[in-house]
Amino acid sequence: MENRSLVTIAEHSREKLEHLIQMASEFEKFPNRKLLDGRVVATLFFEPSTRTRLSFETAASRLGARVIGFADPKVTSGTKGETLKDTIMMVSNYADIIVMRHYLEGAARYASEVSPVPIINAGDGANQHPSQTMLDLYSIWKTQGTLDNLQIYLVGDLKYGRTVHSLLTAMRHFHPTFHFIAPQELAMPETWKQYCRDNNIDFVEHQDFNEDTIAGADILYMTRVQKERFADISEYERVKDRYLLKLDMLAKAKENMKILHPLPRVNEIEYSIDDEPHAYYFEQARNGLFAREALICDALGITLDDIRNDKTIIL
Ligand code: CP
């Protein structure tokens, strides 16, 4: 049987990504439908989340599915020693699809190998966050009108930030130029730079972060320093305020430039920027609903044609 799990966005072709963007676009026109009437979606969050869990649960609800799951593993039998495999086997008895966030890199891959129902990776450690990438692609496509030949600046924690790693893999189909701006301690890991070389992705590394550095950006993708991934908290304290985006740094920004951030934000984008036309992070999070409706449907075998011919729309 075909495994319809989504473990990494790197598995998807350009055509597949464009297909999912079209699906998200249909859901943005009409988010409320009964396509998943009678289905059950499970959300298993072994790590904290606001946007990912709530937007997946909203997506399932707006498509007519019922939602089960947990937001805190402390309330589960994992505390009694139940393994991830047994947890997945149990939940697959109850649900048609499992959305899972886990603190261990590779947990989603493992779950997809043991699960009889599709797994959607909602983030595994510092590794991948494919559903975030899907909404990032949708946001870039909506704001730039294309995914091709863009100048994309990644700023902040490029070492532990799983969203930037996922974005690299997806953008390899679209001939981007990436600009990496990070403190040395949080620089893009060599393995990911090698990934860029192997996939003919152009990249430039910058030390400075000022109005001149970012003047050429189409997308300025800010990230939070991932405090929870540091073994030594004093190292976090040393780097946490190194690259902060301030309003005056937008003076030379291109008109089309949009600021993205997977959120949550701590202090890396000054609040006064929120009202600027360049700020797009709250709309980006809203796009997560439509992108996740598309991903759930795709994992359950519902196609773009099914959505376009859907007669279950609720106005
Ligand atoms: N972007 C993101 O993953 O946010 P949450 O951690 O709140 O889900």
Side-chain angles (χ1 to χ4, degrees), residues 45 48-53 101 122 129 132 135 162-163 224 261-264 292:
F45 277 66
S49 167
T50 297
R51 275 145 297 276
T52 309
R53 184 175 67 83
R101 170 170 289 186
H129 196 347
Q132 176 70 45
L135 75 92
R162 57 193 172 199
T163 66
R224 173 181 66 91
H261 190 314
L263 304 178
R292 288 174 172 128

Side-chain angles (χ1 to χ4, degrees), residues 128-191:
Q128 297 275 311
H129 196 347
S131 70
Q132 176 70 45
T133 305
M134 207 53 242
L135 75 92
D136 292 345
L137 293 181
Y138 186 50
S139 299
I140 295 169
W141 176 78
K142 273 177 67 179
T143 60
Q144 306 299 316
T146 180
L147 292 175
D148 287 303
N149 303 315
L150 296 172
Q151 300 286 327
I152 302 179
Y153 287 57
L154 306 178
V155 183
D157 185 347
L158 308 187
K159 179 179 179 186
Y160 296 119
R162 57 193 172 199
T163 66
V164 294
H165 304 155
S166 282
L167 190 60
L168 286 180
T169 68
M171 287 303 297
R172 76 187 190 282
H173 303 295
F174 302 100
H175 197 254
T177 301
F178 277 102
H179 298 255
F180 301 150
I181 305 178
Q184 202 175 4
E185 299 90 328
L186 299 177
M188 185 62 77
E190 182 53 36
T191 48

Side-chain angles (χ1 to χ4, degrees), residues 2-21:
E2 187 189 0
N3 188 336
R4 301 196 65 89
S5 293
L6 175 62
V7 174
T8 164
I9 206 82
E11 290 163 355
H12 284 345
S13 64
R14 177 183 174 118
E15 291 69 31
K16 177 74 180 195
L17 295 173
E18 289 172 340
H19 181 92
L20 288 166
I21 285 171

